[in-house]
Amino acid sequence: MLSARPADMSTRHLVTTSLVEASGPESATGVHYCLVYVSGAGQDSSKPILREYQDAYRKTEQGWQIESRVVLSPFAG
């Protein structure tokens, strides 16, 4: 995704709300709401995009890791 991004584009992600809950001794799920501001590449930085990240986590020998992420844009249309 980053390699396809225009060179003059910049983004800022502001996480507004997060909820992480254990689903087992070595697993958890999380939902995070985020406002994404995009500038450059013809984007209007005054209108943020609402994103929802739905994550699954797994405890490994190196600590907790993101196992998977689904990215939703609820108001895209």
Side-chain angles (χ1 to χ4, degrees), residues 58-65:
R58 178 76 46 202
K59 188 174 183 180
T60 70
E61 291 181 8
Q62 293 77 35
W64 287 92
Q65 305 287 319

Side-chain angles (χ1 to χ4, degrees), residues 18-40:
S18 293
L19 175 63
V20 177
E21 297 182 300
S23 54
E26 296 185 352
S27 62
T29 59
V31 176
H32 312 278
Y33 300 103
C34 182
L35 293 173
V36 181
Y37 290 86
V38 182
S39 67

Side-chain angles (χ1 to χ4, degrees), residues 5-73:
R5 174 182 165 140
D8 66 336
M9 178 184 281
S10 64
T11 59
R12 181 72 62 188
H13 295 72
L14 303 174
V15 177
T16 61
T17 306
S18 293
L19 175 63
V20 177
E21 297 182 300
S23 54
E26 296 185 352
S27 62
T29 59
V31 176
H32 312 278
Y33 300 103
C34 182
L35 293 173
V36 181
Y37 290 86
V38 182
S39 67
Q43 300 295 315
D44 182 356
S45 62
S46 69
K47 296 179 181 177
I49 302 163
L50 177 64
R51 289 281 165 82
E52 178 179 322
Y53 300 123
Q54 297 178 351
D55 296 339
Y57 306 99
R58 178 76 46 202
K59 188 174 183 180
T60 70
E61 291 181 8
Q62 293 77 35
W64 287 92
Q65 305 287 319
I66 296 175
E67 184 174 50
S68 65
R69 170 169 278 173
V70 174
V71 180
L72 303 174
S73 297

